PDB file of all heavy atoms in Angstrom:
ATOM      1  N   VAL A 242       8.493 -10.562  14.782  1.00  0.00           N
ATOM      2  CA  VAL A 242       7.495 -10.003  15.710  1.00  0.00           C
ATOM      3  C   VAL A 242       6.624 -11.081  16.337  1.00  0.00           C
ATOM      4  O   VAL A 242       5.947 -10.827  17.345  1.00  0.00           O
ATOM      5  CB  VAL A 242       6.594  -8.962  15.009  1.00  0.00           C
ATOM      6  CG1 VAL A 242       7.426  -7.756  14.557  1.00  0.00           C
ATOM      7  CG2 VAL A 242       5.835  -9.567  13.831  1.00  0.00           C
ATOM      8  N   GLU A 243       6.640 -12.313  15.751  1.00  0.00           N
ATOM      9  CA  GLU A 243       5.905 -13.402  16.381  1.00  0.00           C
ATOM     10  C   GLU A 243       6.465 -14.719  15.868  1.00  0.00           C
ATOM     11  O   GLU A 243       6.874 -14.844  14.700  1.00  0.00           O
ATOM     12  CB  GLU A 243       4.407 -13.325  16.039  1.00  0.00           C
ATOM     13  CG  GLU A 243       3.550 -14.400  16.755  1.00  0.00           C
ATOM     14  CD  GLU A 243       2.065 -14.100  16.755  1.00  0.00           C
ATOM     15  OE1 GLU A 243       1.638 -13.157  16.044  1.00  0.00           O
ATOM     16  OE2 GLU A 243       1.333 -14.830  17.454  1.00  0.00           O
ATOM     17  N   GLN A 244       6.543 -15.707  16.772  1.00  0.00           N
ATOM     18  CA  GLN A 244       6.913 -17.084  16.422  1.00  0.00           C
ATOM     19  C   GLN A 244       5.948 -18.018  17.132  1.00  0.00           C
ATOM     20  O   GLN A 244       5.615 -17.843  18.305  1.00  0.00           O
ATOM     21  CB  GLN A 244       8.341 -17.410  16.878  1.00  0.00           C
ATOM     22  CG  GLN A 244       9.433 -16.752  16.072  1.00  0.00           C
ATOM     23  CD  GLN A 244      10.794 -17.348  16.369  1.00  0.00           C
ATOM     24  OE1 GLN A 244      11.041 -18.512  16.093  1.00  0.00           O
ATOM     25  NE2 GLN A 244      11.697 -16.556  16.949  1.00  0.00           N
ATOM     26  N   ALA A 245       5.564 -19.080  16.397  1.00  0.00           N
ATOM     27  CA  ALA A 245       4.621 -20.050  16.980  1.00  0.00           C
ATOM     28  C   ALA A 245       4.563 -21.292  16.106  1.00  0.00           C
ATOM     29  O   ALA A 245       4.925 -21.261  14.938  1.00  0.00           O
ATOM     30  CB  ALA A 245       3.229 -19.439  17.046  1.00  0.00           C
ATOM     31  N   PRO A 246       4.101 -22.420  16.715  1.00  0.00           N
ATOM     32  CA  PRO A 246       3.692 -23.528  15.838  1.00  0.00           C
ATOM     33  C   PRO A 246       2.625 -22.998  14.864  1.00  0.00           C
ATOM     34  O   PRO A 246       1.810 -22.148  15.235  1.00  0.00           O
ATOM     35  CB  PRO A 246       3.108 -24.517  16.831  1.00  0.00           C
ATOM     36  CG  PRO A 246       3.747 -24.183  18.135  1.00  0.00           C
ATOM     37  CD  PRO A 246       3.933 -22.689  18.132  1.00  0.00           C
ATOM     38  N   VAL A 247       2.611 -23.496  13.652  1.00  0.00           N
ATOM     39  CA  VAL A 247       1.828 -22.866  12.619  1.00  0.00           C
ATOM     40  C   VAL A 247       0.319 -22.815  12.957  1.00  0.00           C
ATOM     41  O   VAL A 247      -0.328 -21.783  12.732  1.00  0.00           O
ATOM     42  CB  VAL A 247       2.061 -23.574  11.227  1.00  0.00           C
ATOM     43  CG1 VAL A 247       1.565 -24.990  11.230  1.00  0.00           C
ATOM     44  CG2 VAL A 247       1.426 -22.784  10.113  1.00  0.00           C
ATOM     45  N   PHE A 248      -0.220 -23.873  13.553  1.00  0.00           N
ATOM     46  CA  PHE A 248      -1.636 -23.839  13.823  1.00  0.00           C
ATOM     47  C   PHE A 248      -1.943 -23.014  15.061  1.00  0.00           C
ATOM     48  O   PHE A 248      -3.058 -22.443  15.163  1.00  0.00           O
ATOM     49  CB  PHE A 248      -2.172 -25.252  13.947  1.00  0.00           C
ATOM     50  CG  PHE A 248      -2.060 -25.995  12.631  1.00  0.00           C
ATOM     51  CD1 PHE A 248      -1.173 -27.023  12.456  1.00  0.00           C
ATOM     52  CD2 PHE A 248      -2.835 -25.576  11.553  1.00  0.00           C
ATOM     53  CE1 PHE A 248      -1.040 -27.682  11.254  1.00  0.00           C
ATOM     54  CE2 PHE A 248      -2.715 -26.212  10.310  1.00  0.00           C
ATOM     55  CZ  PHE A 248      -1.802 -27.255  10.181  1.00  0.00           C
ATOM     56  N   ALA A 249      -0.997 -22.829  15.964  1.00  0.00           N
ATOM     57  CA  ALA A 249      -1.218 -21.923  17.091  1.00  0.00           C
ATOM     58  C   ALA A 249      -1.313 -20.485  16.583  1.00  0.00           C
ATOM     59  O   ALA A 249      -2.088 -19.692  17.114  1.00  0.00           O
ATOM     60  CB  ALA A 249      -0.064 -22.067  18.090  1.00  0.00           C
ATOM     61  N   LEU A 250      -0.544 -20.160  15.598  1.00  0.00           N
ATOM     62  CA  LEU A 250      -0.611 -18.823  14.999  1.00  0.00           C
ATOM     63  C   LEU A 250      -1.997 -18.543  14.393  1.00  0.00           C
ATOM     64  O   LEU A 250      -2.586 -17.505  14.639  1.00  0.00           O
ATOM     65  CB  LEU A 250       0.485 -18.608  13.979  1.00  0.00           C
ATOM     66  CG  LEU A 250       0.524 -17.169  13.395  1.00  0.00           C
ATOM     67  CD1 LEU A 250       1.396 -16.285  14.254  1.00  0.00           C
ATOM     68  CD2 LEU A 250       1.012 -17.133  11.964  1.00  0.00           C
ATOM     69  N   PHE A 251      -2.482 -19.511  13.631  1.00  0.00           N
ATOM     70  CA  PHE A 251      -3.803 -19.339  13.011  1.00  0.00           C
ATOM     71  C   PHE A 251      -4.936 -19.330  14.069  1.00  0.00           C
ATOM     72  O   PHE A 251      -5.897 -18.588  13.929  1.00  0.00           O
ATOM     73  CB  PHE A 251      -4.061 -20.403  11.982  1.00  0.00           C
ATOM     74  CG  PHE A 251      -3.435 -20.166  10.647  1.00  0.00           C
ATOM     75  CD1 PHE A 251      -2.174 -20.595  10.353  1.00  0.00           C
ATOM     76  CD2 PHE A 251      -4.107 -19.429   9.671  1.00  0.00           C
ATOM     77  CE1 PHE A 251      -1.590 -20.328   9.145  1.00  0.00           C
ATOM     78  CE2 PHE A 251      -3.542 -19.157   8.455  1.00  0.00           C
ATOM     79  CZ  PHE A 251      -2.280 -19.635   8.164  1.00  0.00           C
ATOM     80  N   ASP A 252      -4.766 -20.103  15.098  1.00  0.00           N
ATOM     81  CA  ASP A 252      -5.830 -20.196  16.125  1.00  0.00           C
ATOM     82  C   ASP A 252      -5.822 -18.962  17.052  1.00  0.00           C
ATOM     83  O   ASP A 252      -6.886 -18.520  17.488  1.00  0.00           O
ATOM     84  CB  ASP A 252      -5.648 -21.431  16.975  1.00  0.00           C
ATOM     85  CG  ASP A 252      -6.036 -22.709  16.217  1.00  0.00           C
ATOM     86  OD1 ASP A 252      -6.828 -22.600  15.267  1.00  0.00           O
ATOM     87  OD2 ASP A 252      -5.545 -23.797  16.595  1.00  0.00           O
ATOM     88  N   ASP A 253      -4.606 -18.429  17.339  1.00  0.00           N
ATOM     89  CA  ASP A 253      -4.531 -17.439  18.386  1.00  0.00           C
ATOM     90  C   ASP A 253      -3.366 -16.449  18.072  1.00  0.00           C
ATOM     91  O   ASP A 253      -2.375 -16.446  18.775  1.00  0.00           O
ATOM     92  CB  ASP A 253      -4.291 -18.118  19.732  1.00  0.00           C
ATOM     93  CG  ASP A 253      -4.399 -17.161  20.889  1.00  0.00           C
ATOM     94  OD1 ASP A 253      -5.037 -16.082  20.739  1.00  0.00           O
ATOM     95  OD2 ASP A 253      -3.821 -17.471  21.957  1.00  0.00           O
ATOM     96  N   PRO A 254      -3.505 -15.624  17.037  1.00  0.00           N
ATOM     97  CA  PRO A 254      -2.415 -14.666  16.729  1.00  0.00           C
ATOM     98  C   PRO A 254      -2.216 -13.680  17.850  1.00  0.00           C
ATOM     99  O   PRO A 254      -3.185 -13.199  18.475  1.00  0.00           O
ATOM    100  CB  PRO A 254      -2.936 -13.971  15.444  1.00  0.00           C
ATOM    101  CG  PRO A 254      -4.421 -14.120  15.501  1.00  0.00           C
ATOM    102  CD  PRO A 254      -4.674 -15.454  16.137  1.00  0.00           C
ATOM    103  N   GLN A 255      -0.966 -13.410  18.146  1.00  0.00           N
ATOM    104  CA  GLN A 255      -0.622 -12.566  19.301  1.00  0.00           C
ATOM    105  C   GLN A 255       0.058 -11.253  18.885  1.00  0.00           C
ATOM    106  O   GLN A 255       0.571 -10.535  19.743  1.00  0.00           O
ATOM    107  CB  GLN A 255       0.241 -13.321  20.264  1.00  0.00           C
ATOM    108  CG  GLN A 255      -0.475 -14.422  21.021  1.00  0.00           C
ATOM    109  CD  GLN A 255      -1.553 -13.869  21.925  1.00  0.00           C
ATOM    110  OE1 GLN A 255      -1.371 -12.913  22.653  1.00  0.00           O
ATOM    111  NE2 GLN A 255      -2.716 -14.521  21.900  1.00  0.00           N
ATOM    112  N   HIS A 256       0.111 -10.981  17.595  1.00  0.00           N
ATOM    113  CA  HIS A 256       0.609  -9.704  17.116  1.00  0.00           C
ATOM    114  C   HIS A 256      -0.362  -9.168  16.050  1.00  0.00           C
ATOM    115  O   HIS A 256      -0.770  -9.902  15.209  1.00  0.00           O
ATOM    116  CB  HIS A 256       2.038  -9.855  16.511  1.00  0.00           C
ATOM    117  CG  HIS A 256       2.755  -8.536  16.364  1.00  0.00           C
ATOM    118  ND1 HIS A 256       2.429  -7.641  15.359  1.00  0.00           N
ATOM    119  CD2 HIS A 256       3.748  -7.973  17.095  1.00  0.00           C
ATOM    120  CE1 HIS A 256       3.198  -6.568  15.464  1.00  0.00           C
ATOM    121  NE2 HIS A 256       4.020  -6.734  16.513  1.00  0.00           N
ATOM    122  N   PRO A 257      -0.697  -7.868  16.128  1.00  0.00           N
ATOM    123  CA  PRO A 257      -1.642  -7.337  15.127  1.00  0.00           C
ATOM    124  C   PRO A 257      -1.171  -7.446  13.681  1.00  0.00           C
ATOM    125  O   PRO A 257      -1.985  -7.526  12.783  1.00  0.00           O
ATOM    126  CB  PRO A 257      -1.754  -5.853  15.557  1.00  0.00           C
ATOM    127  CG  PRO A 257      -1.429  -5.837  17.005  1.00  0.00           C
ATOM    128  CD  PRO A 257      -0.374  -6.908  17.181  1.00  0.00           C
ATOM    129  N   TYR A 258       0.138  -7.500  13.461  1.00  0.00           N
ATOM    130  CA  TYR A 258       0.628  -7.669  12.076  1.00  0.00           C
ATOM    131  C   TYR A 258       0.312  -9.093  11.569  1.00  0.00           C
ATOM    132  O   TYR A 258      -0.089  -9.253  10.418  1.00  0.00           O
ATOM    133  CB  TYR A 258       2.131  -7.372  12.015  1.00  0.00           C
ATOM    134  CG  TYR A 258       2.696  -7.546  10.612  1.00  0.00           C
ATOM    135  CD1 TYR A 258       2.230  -6.753   9.571  1.00  0.00           C
ATOM    136  CD2 TYR A 258       3.683  -8.469  10.337  1.00  0.00           C
ATOM    137  CE1 TYR A 258       2.741  -6.870   8.276  1.00  0.00           C
ATOM    138  CE2 TYR A 258       4.198  -8.612   9.061  1.00  0.00           C
ATOM    139  CZ  TYR A 258       3.713  -7.792   8.021  1.00  0.00           C
ATOM    140  OH  TYR A 258       4.224  -7.964   6.767  1.00  0.00           O
ATOM    141  N   SER A 259       0.500 -10.080  12.452  1.00  0.00           N
ATOM    142  CA  SER A 259       0.117 -11.455  12.044  1.00  0.00           C
ATOM    143  C   SER A 259      -1.357 -11.510  11.687  1.00  0.00           C
ATOM    144  O   SER A 259      -1.782 -12.143  10.702  1.00  0.00           O
ATOM    145  CB  SER A 259       0.433 -12.443  13.160  1.00  0.00           C
ATOM    146  OG  SER A 259       1.782 -12.354  13.554  1.00  0.00           O
ATOM    147  N   LEU A 260      -2.162 -10.846  12.493  1.00  0.00           N
ATOM    148  CA  LEU A 260      -3.616 -10.796  12.246  1.00  0.00           C
ATOM    149  C   LEU A 260      -3.880 -10.156  10.875  1.00  0.00           C
ATOM    150  O   LEU A 260      -4.720 -10.602  10.111  1.00  0.00           O
ATOM    151  CB  LEU A 260      -4.315 -10.008  13.359  1.00  0.00           C
ATOM    152  CG  LEU A 260      -5.804  -9.727  13.174  1.00  0.00           C
ATOM    153  CD1 LEU A 260      -6.608 -11.018  13.257  1.00  0.00           C
ATOM    154  CD2 LEU A 260      -6.274  -8.709  14.191  1.00  0.00           C
ATOM    155  N   GLY A 261      -3.165  -9.062  10.585  1.00  0.00           N
ATOM    156  CA  GLY A 261      -3.342  -8.378   9.322  1.00  0.00           C
ATOM    157  C   GLY A 261      -3.020  -9.271   8.154  1.00  0.00           C
ATOM    158  O   GLY A 261      -3.751  -9.255   7.139  1.00  0.00           O
ATOM    159  N   LEU A 262      -1.951 -10.046   8.242  1.00  0.00           N
ATOM    160  CA  LEU A 262      -1.593 -10.966   7.173  1.00  0.00           C
ATOM    161  C   LEU A 262      -2.663 -12.035   7.000  1.00  0.00           C
ATOM    162  O   LEU A 262      -2.992 -12.415   5.857  1.00  0.00           O
ATOM    163  CB  LEU A 262      -0.249 -11.622   7.464  1.00  0.00           C
ATOM    164  CG  LEU A 262       0.992 -10.736   7.426  1.00  0.00           C
ATOM    165  CD1 LEU A 262       2.225 -11.534   7.856  1.00  0.00           C
ATOM    166  CD2 LEU A 262       1.211 -10.088   6.060  1.00  0.00           C
ATOM    167  N   MET A 263      -3.201 -12.509   8.104  1.00  0.00           N
ATOM    168  CA  MET A 263      -4.255 -13.522   8.005  1.00  0.00           C
ATOM    169  C   MET A 263      -5.522 -12.949   7.365  1.00  0.00           C
ATOM    170  O   MET A 263      -6.177 -13.608   6.551  1.00  0.00           O
ATOM    171  CB  MET A 263      -4.567 -14.060   9.422  1.00  0.00           C
ATOM    172  CG  MET A 263      -3.393 -14.866   9.997  1.00  0.00           C
ATOM    173  SD  MET A 263      -3.620 -15.191  11.770  1.00  0.00           S
ATOM    174  CE  MET A 263      -5.092 -16.217  11.732  1.00  0.00           C
ATOM    175  N   ASN A 264      -5.899 -11.726   7.735  1.00  0.00           N
ATOM    176  CA  ASN A 264      -7.110 -11.127   7.201  1.00  0.00           C
ATOM    177  C   ASN A 264      -6.998 -10.801   5.719  1.00  0.00           C
ATOM    178  O   ASN A 264      -7.999 -10.579   5.039  1.00  0.00           O
ATOM    179  CB  ASN A 264      -7.462  -9.865   7.981  1.00  0.00           C
ATOM    180  CG  ASN A 264      -8.062 -10.175   9.335  1.00  0.00           C
ATOM    181  OD1 ASN A 264      -8.502 -11.293   9.587  1.00  0.00           O
ATOM    182  ND2 ASN A 264      -8.043  -9.203  10.211  1.00  0.00           N
ATOM    183  N   ALA A 265      -5.762 -10.746   5.206  1.00  0.00           N
ATOM    184  CA  ALA A 265      -5.528 -10.442   3.817  1.00  0.00           C
ATOM    185  C   ALA A 265      -5.597 -11.694   2.921  1.00  0.00           C
ATOM    186  O   ALA A 265      -5.529 -11.586   1.690  1.00  0.00           O
ATOM    187  CB  ALA A 265      -4.173  -9.763   3.606  1.00  0.00           C
ATOM    188  N   ILE A 266      -5.723 -12.906   3.514  1.00  0.00           N
ATOM    189  CA  ILE A 266      -5.803 -14.110   2.737  1.00  0.00           C
ATOM    190  C   ILE A 266      -7.198 -14.263   2.156  1.00  0.00           C
ATOM    191  O   ILE A 266      -8.183 -14.251   2.903  1.00  0.00           O
ATOM    192  CB  ILE A 266      -5.475 -15.340   3.594  1.00  0.00           C
ATOM    193  CG1 ILE A 266      -4.082 -15.246   4.227  1.00  0.00           C
ATOM    194  CG2 ILE A 266      -5.596 -16.617   2.770  1.00  0.00           C
ATOM    195  CD1 ILE A 266      -3.806 -16.365   5.208  1.00  0.00           C
ATOM    196  N   PRO A 267      -7.353 -14.452   0.855  1.00  0.00           N
ATOM    197  CA  PRO A 267      -8.690 -14.712   0.289  1.00  0.00           C
ATOM    198  C   PRO A 267      -9.206 -16.068   0.842  1.00  0.00           C
ATOM    199  O   PRO A 267      -8.483 -17.065   0.879  1.00  0.00           O
ATOM    200  CB  PRO A 267      -8.425 -14.833  -1.237  1.00  0.00           C
ATOM    201  CG  PRO A 267      -7.139 -14.106  -1.458  1.00  0.00           C
ATOM    202  CD  PRO A 267      -6.324 -14.352  -0.222  1.00  0.00           C
ATOM    203  N   ARG A 268     -10.428 -16.068   1.308  1.00  0.00           N
ATOM    204  CA  ARG A 268     -11.035 -17.298   1.866  1.00  0.00           C
ATOM    205  C   ARG A 268     -12.366 -17.550   1.139  1.00  0.00           C
ATOM    206  O   ARG A 268     -13.410 -17.072   1.585  1.00  0.00           O
ATOM    207  CB  ARG A 268     -11.256 -17.140   3.378  1.00  0.00           C
ATOM    208  CG  ARG A 268      -9.983 -17.032   4.188  1.00  0.00           C
ATOM    209  CD  ARG A 268      -9.135 -18.273   4.090  1.00  0.00           C
ATOM    210  NE  ARG A 268      -9.782 -19.407   4.659  1.00  0.00           N
ATOM    211  CZ  ARG A 268      -9.640 -19.821   5.955  1.00  0.00           C
ATOM    212  NH1 ARG A 268      -8.791 -19.198   6.735  1.00  0.00           N
ATOM    213  NH2 ARG A 268     -10.248 -20.903   6.384  1.00  0.00           N
ATOM    214  N   PRO A 269     -12.359 -18.276   0.007  1.00  0.00           N
ATOM    215  CA  PRO A 269     -13.580 -18.499  -0.753  1.00  0.00           C
ATOM    216  C   PRO A 269     -14.676 -19.176   0.082  1.00  0.00           C
ATOM    217  O   PRO A 269     -15.862 -18.962  -0.197  1.00  0.00           O
ATOM    218  CB  PRO A 269     -13.121 -19.423  -1.882  1.00  0.00           C
ATOM    219  CG  PRO A 269     -11.651 -19.169  -2.007  1.00  0.00           C
ATOM    220  CD  PRO A 269     -11.177 -18.895  -0.638  1.00  0.00           C
ATOM    221  N   GLU A 270     -14.285 -19.988   1.050  1.00  0.00           N
ATOM    222  CA  GLU A 270     -15.291 -20.705   1.829  1.00  0.00           C
ATOM    223  C   GLU A 270     -16.050 -19.778   2.795  1.00  0.00           C
ATOM    224  O   GLU A 270     -17.079 -20.156   3.338  1.00  0.00           O
ATOM    225  CB  GLU A 270     -14.656 -21.863   2.618  1.00  0.00           C
ATOM    226  CG  GLU A 270     -13.771 -21.455   3.781  1.00  0.00           C
ATOM    227  CD  GLU A 270     -12.322 -21.161   3.365  1.00  0.00           C
ATOM    228  OE1 GLU A 270     -12.110 -20.904   2.193  1.00  0.00           O
ATOM    229  OE2 GLU A 270     -11.436 -21.219   4.269  1.00  0.00           O
TER     230      GLU A 270
END
């Protein structure tokens, strides 16, 4: 559903599923 250089995906996700996976990552900081 999405392909990108890895940092482009984190900077600018273009599929809501990618966004969902990112929001599910624990971020202690």
